[in-house]
Amino acid sequence: MAADPREDDLPSKPPVWNDPRIRALVFQIAIVIAVSAFGYYLFDNTLTNLEKRGITTGFGFLDSQASFGIIQTLVEYSETSTYGRTFIVGLLNTLLVSGLGIVLATLLGFIIGIARLSSNWLIAKLAAAYVEIFRNIPLLLQIFFWYFAVLRALPSPRQSHDLGGVVFLNLRGLYLPRPLFEPGFGFVFAALVAAIAGSILITRWASRRQEATGQQFHTIYTAIGLILGLPLLTFLALGAPLAWELPELRGFNFQGGIPVIPELSALLVALSIYTAAFIAEIVRAGILAVSRGQTEAAHALGLRPGLTLRLVIIPQAMRVIIPPLTSQYLNLTKNSSLATAIGYPDLVSVFAGTTLNQTGQAVEVIAMTMGVYLTISLVISLLMNWYNKRKTLVER
Amino acid sequence: MSKLHIMAAGTALALLAAGTTAQAGATLDSVKQKGHVQCGVSTGIPGFSSADDKGNWTGIDVDVCRAVAAAVLGDANAVKYTPLTAKERLTALQSGEIDMLSRNTTWTATRDTSLGINFTGVNYYDGQGFLVSKNLGVKSALELNGASVCIQSGTTTELNLSDYFRAKKMEFQPVVFDTSDQTIKGFEAGRCDVLTSDQSQLYALRIKLADPNSAMVLPEVISKEPLGPVVRQGDDQWFNVVKWTLFAMVNAEELGITAANVDEMKAGTDPNVKRMLGTEGDIGVGMGLGNDWAYNIVKQVGNYGEMFERNVGKGSPLGIERGLNALWTNGGLQYAPPIR
Ligand SMILES: N[C@@H](CCC(=O)N[C@@H](CS)C(=O)NCC(=O)O)C(=O)O
């Protein structure tokens, strides 16, 4: 930079130890070495101490037989499966309840958040009451409430409520019929996939046409028709290749069908309702952050309130909503570990609970469990950051 | 984060931290210095360890803690209790949060050999049983195919249950709770048909039901559950103190020494009694205690039989027979090596 007059004054380059770039590099390398050395020291010390105290170490236990039962397993599992398998079973159960919880909490949260801004006094106050109540009661109490409230309200298996002899509800859970796919059903799936792909193409085409010509197209109805109709037609054309396994009372309990255990329902309800209260506030804040002028401008252009909300307000509000929404998703996932209090077999209950206890390998099991929550959280963050990037202001 | 995970993380941290490991003699010294025994007990099993509304702990497991405090510190009341669920207990012991665990804990090979802990003996011989609601109309465990079963996590019960049902080719659905309170609530709410646990604890939990007569214990006993006090591995001196405290109580019963007659017996001439009560020889000193260690135990807590009858036997709401827990001289299993 010849423009800097001092440069010419300097007799020569500074000595290496005074060069700020080299210094910075040296310090960073030194810190990395120090941190790794400390990490290694901790690791080595743990192993030595475990050995001195006669506590078995290593991950060999993952291959030994677990010998305990789990009430809800999304993959094949029996008492003869390994501890490694209990990890998978627990992980899937955690993902199931968190995934469903995120979907439900988001839907409910958006509805309540928008309702709170409604010009209808009653709706706005009800939404406000919802938020204040559910946000301020500890989640664990809510879980217990839903669990024991659900249990108290339901009859014993022999006096089950039933819906047309197909769906049954009692203390032990909700029993749904299980679809049994017969050969040929694969085509129905293929039709579904084709319909979804078709809908995406139509949407693209419609929006391009609208931009070019201003003409609108009923994308939504077309897509719904396609996604429902095509698989249905295929299904009927193939002669309905589907049978149902109905739950039936055998001995003490219902057997067959798809059982939804009350622990899952209670946990899901509690997590969704609790998190929705926070999401509602985030949505409200996001919408309020969009200046009033936008709404007025949209109305002046003749957009109806619904369209204004959908096309003008929400897209802009999303930019404010997404980052805090991500934290709520992370919270919900981590809160799902309260499952263990009511016996829902999630990762913490099955793996960091029973497996840890039967094997006594606290360090390994807790490390794996923490790794899982860390990974889930990072994945959610990554996805949401990616989504956030797509939604950030694109200047035209 | 539940207490267990904080503790598990605590263990991890303790193990990560600088090189202090269990040393022989460390626990006894620290107990003498603190002036109390930190004892891990259950969160509430009547007859074994439960606290009344004033916070006074009683039970057969509590009495073992009290006996150790009497032997070491000369005062049976010098005990502080840490209530622990099944899941928390072993971690609490490993991490050094408690000096000893006396909480209906089954002696098994895995626990004894790979968890860094040692069992010191058996203060109650038990076995696993089933509690069912009477209106279920079940008379035997063999009729339980397809049943929902309430259990507590982190117990041997979980494993025995699976083994039993598998061996009998029966199906079951485990409903697993963290604490005995939740387990019994789940059973009462009808979430499960059966509650399973060590038989003695079934009797204890049954009296916690709103209507104890609505439930009954099935006749089958499906496992061996020797319950006893546990200490950390690597401190032989403390291991000996706890082990011989229990032996002293059994020997006292065998020799006919009771809390009431111990002073009289001490003045007598039987050399066995004199050695035990410390008027002859230096057995207590050899253990790092005073020679009156066993005298203090019997005087303040009583002998094994007294402890049994008071907490779980005829003198208690549980009313359990001595059965396997009778002295060997009466056809039971309670047998202690001689104090000499
Ligand atoms: N003896 C068995 C079971 C002991 C056990 O924890 N039993 C339950 C009975 S439901 C209990 O005492 N719970 C009391 C508590 O969690 O505080 C073992 O050592 O694993």
Side-chain angles (χ1 to χ4, degrees):
Chain A
M1 276 191 244
D4 188 344
R6 277 172 303 168
E7 189 125 34
D8 306 321
D9 301 343
L10 290 175
S12 62
K13 282 184 94 184
V16 182
W17 58 87
N18 269 346
D19 186 329
R21 263 178 312 162
I22 296 191
R23 267 209 212 174
L25 196 69
V26 170
F27 281 136
Q28 287 182 32
I29 293 178
I31 287 180
V32 169
I33 292 180
V35 169
S36 333
F38 184 62
Y40 176 76
Y41 166 76
L42 288 183
F43 178 74
D44 185 57
N45 206 21
T46 308
L47 283 188
T48 319
N49 277 342
L50 284 170
E51 196 179 343
K52 269 201 205 141
R53 294 191 182 184
I55 300 177
T56 314
T57 51
F59 288 92
F61 71 96
L62 290 176
D63 291 326
S64 355
Q65 181 175 317
S67 315
F68 63 89
I70 302 178
I71 189 166
Q72 174 189 299
T73 59
L74 299 181
V75 287
E76 199 68 45
Y77 174 87
S78 76
E79 287 81 1
T80 50
S81 305
T82 61
Y83 284 121
R85 194 79 178 168
T86 67
F87 174 76
I88 309 274
V89 169
L91 176 61
L92 290 177
N93 285 343
T94 290
L95 291 178
L96 176 72
V97 72
S98 321
L100 291 176
I102 285 177
V103 173
L104 289 181
T106 309
L107 289 177
L108 196 59
F110 270 79
I111 294 174
I112 306 275
I114 293 173
R116 212 179 156 178
L117 292 171
S118 163
S119 49
N120 180 321
W121 184 87
L122 184 65
I123 291 184
K125 285 293 171 263
L126 280 180
Y130 173 97
V131 169
E132 291 312 330
I133 291 175
F134 290 107
R135 204 171 51 159
N136 292 315
I137 297 177
L139 177 57
L140 186 59
L141 290 186
Q142 296 193 34
I143 293 178
F144 279 134
F145 170 78
W146 290 113
Y147 186 53
F148 284 104
V150 166
L151 286 191
R152 294 243 183 284
L154 294 173
S156 74
R158 287 173 203 177
Q159 278 111 36
S160 297
H161 297 308
D162 75 313
L163 225 119
V166 177
V167 175
F168 298 88
L169 181 66
N170 61 48
L171 262 172
R172 308 286 156 76
L174 174 68
Y175 293 82
L176 306 170
R178 180 194 294 278
L180 300 174
F181 303 117
E182 287 166 7
F185 200 83
F187 289 108
V188 181
F189 273 118
L192 182 67
V193 171
I196 292 176
S199 306
I200 294 176
L201 289 181
I202 290 180
T203 314
R204 288 217 184 133
W205 165 80
S207 69
R208 239 179 291 130
R209 192 179 72 148
Q210 190 177 353
E211 260 165 44
T213 67
Q215 275 179 299
Q216 290 193 350
F217 184 75
H218 285 299
T219 330
I220 303 220
Y221 299 118
T222 323
I224 292 179
L226 205 58
I227 291 177
L228 290 182
L230 197 59
L232 191 67
L233 282 180
T234 324
F235 180 70
L236 293 177
L238 288 170
L242 180 69
W244 296 95
E245 178 193 275
L246 295 185
E248 72 177 298
L249 185 61
R250 243 180 281 142
F252 299 99
N253 289 304
F254 278 85
Q255 315 277 334
I258 302 178
V260 181
I261 53 174
E263 289 77 20
L264 173 60
S265 322
L267 186 64
L268 194 56
V269 168
L271 282 175
S272 317
I273 287 187
Y274 176 76
T275 314
F278 290 88
I279 294 183
E281 284 299 273
I282 292 171
V283 169
R284 184 169 74 108
I287 292 177
L288 288 179
V290 179
S291 85
R292 183 90 201 120
Q294 299 274 339
T295 318
E296 283 163 7
H299 285 174
L301 286 175
L303 282 183
R304 277 176 280 117
L307 281 182
T308 309
L309 192 64
R310 200 162 57 106
L311 297 176
V312 179
I313 312 291
I314 299 271
Q316 298 189 74
M318 280 316 264
R319 291 183 200 127
V320 183
I321 291 175
I322 292 172
L325 191 62
T326 311
S327 334
Q328 289 310 323
Y329 289 175
L330 299 184
N331 281 347
L332 188 144
T333 310
K334 287 179 281 185
N335 284 339
S336 74
S337 63
L338 290 172
T340 166
I342 54 167
Y344 174 75
D346 80 325
L347 185 68
V348 171
S349 163
V350 169
F351 191 67
T354 305
T355 296
L356 189 159
N357 254 277
Q358 305 298 3
T359 62
Q361 296 193 258
V363 177
E364 291 86 349
V365 169
I366 292 290
M368 282 175 75
T369 310
M370 293 199 302
V372 164
Y373 282 97
L374 188 64
T375 313
I376 298 180
S377 297
L378 288 178
V379 168
I380 294 181
S381 293
L382 279 178
L383 286 178
M384 294 299 278
N385 284 345
W386 168 79
Y387 185 60
N388 194 25
K389 275 229 185 67
R390 288 196 35 182
K391 288 281 163 184
T392 43
L393 204 57
V394 191
E395 309 264 349
R396 279 196 237 203
Chain B
M1 242 196 223
S2 73
K3 201 153 119 207
L4 169 72
H5 299 109
I6 294 176
M7 260 181 333
T11 319
L13 272 185
L15 294 162
L16 290 168
T20 49
T21 46
Q23 281 168 4
T27 315
L28 183 59
D29 290 345
S30 96
V31 166
K32 284 182 180 165
Q33 207 182 7
K34 286 186 293 195
H36 70 261
V37 177
Q38 193 73 42
C39 195
V41 292
S42 79
T43 60
I45 294 287
F48 282 79
S49 42
S50 67
D52 63 16
D53 45 13
K54 289 182 208 69
N56 296 320
W57 285 87
T58 50
I60 195 168
D61 286 342
V62 165
D63 278 348
V64 173
C65 305
R66 288 168 48 79
V68 171
V72 177
L73 303 163
D75 177 7
N77 292 324
V79 186
K80 288 194 179 156
Y81 299 96
T82 308
L84 297 164
T85 67
K87 258 161 99 173
E88 297 161 347
R89 60 185 157 174
L90 301 180
T91 320
L93 183 64
Q94 288 171 329
S95 67
E97 194 180 316
I98 52 177
D99 298 317
M100 60 181 287
L101 177 71
S102 183
R103 184 209 170 282
N104 46 3
T105 300
T106 305
W107 187 347
T108 69
T110 314
R111 287 177 179 172
D112 207 14
T113 58
S114 66
L115 302 188
I117 58 173
N118 279 333
F119 283 79
T120 59
V122 178
N123 68 332
Y124 191 100
Y125 288 97
D126 209 339
Q128 185 173 332
F130 297 98
L131 182 74
V132 295
S133 158
K134 272 187 189 151
N135 61 28
L136 208 61
V138 168
K139 293 276 167 291
S140 149
L142 295 169
E143 299 166 35
L144 291 177
N145 193 7
S148 288
V149 188
C150 281
I151 28 173
Q152 192 170 340
S153 78
T155 57
T156 47
T157 318
E158 263 185 292
L159 303 181
N160 298 331
L161 177 69
S162 296
D163 287 354
Y164 180 77
F165 273 75
R166 194 142 47 93
K168 299 281 184 253
K169 301 216 165 30
M170 302 195 299
E171 306 248 335
F172 73 103
Q173 292 167 354
V175 186
V176 187
F177 293 97
D178 264 1
T179 67
S180 59
D181 255 7
Q182 285 159 11
T183 317
I184 193 82
K185 255 203 224 148
F187 176 73
E188 216 169 6
R191 176 63 185 92
C192 42
D193 305 296
V194 195
L195 189 159
T196 178
S197 180
D198 301 344
Q199 240 187 9
S200 61
Q201 289 141 44
L202 293 181
Y203 288 107
L205 289 175
R206 199 174 76 131
I207 58 177
K208 281 188 164 185
L209 289 173
D211 175 15
N213 278 325
S214 65
M216 61 182 249
V217 176
L218 296 179
E220 283 86 356
V221 175
I222 65 165
S223 70
K224 291 192 286 190
E225 307 286 333
L227 312 177
V230 202
V231 296
R232 262 185 304 288
Q233 190 170 311
D235 185 343
D236 288 354
Q237 189 184 24
W238 182 246
F239 174 71
N240 285 338
V241 168
V242 177
K243 178 170 63 176
W244 280 93
T245 298
L246 198 55
F247 285 156
M249 297 180 89
V250 175
N251 276 320
E253 182 180 11
E254 193 179 330
L255 293 171
I257 316 175
T258 64
N261 72 9
V262 62
D263 287 306
E264 193 186 314
M265 297 280 282
K266 194 177 173 187
T269 55
D270 182 340
N272 285 316
V273 175
K274 287 173 83 176
R275 257 197 310 273
M276 173 158 165
L277 297 181
T279 45
E280 201 179 288
D282 264 334
I283 290 173
V285 171
M287 289 164 64
L289 308 175
N291 278 333
D292 57 355
W293 66 286
Y295 168 82
N296 287 334
I297 295 174
V298 182
K299 177 82 188 164
Q300 299 183 25
V301 186
N303 67 33
Y304 180 85
E306 292 177 280
M307 167 172 88
F308 189 98
E309 297 300 352
R310 173 171 71 228
N311 294 306
V312 297
K314 295 285 166 307
S316 77
L318 299 186
I320 300 175
E321 298 280 330
R322 279 296 284 272
L324 288 178
N325 292 296
L327 285 185
W328 64 291
T329 44
N330 296 334
L333 294 176
Q334 288 294 353
Y335 178 102
I339 296 186
R340 68 177 315 128

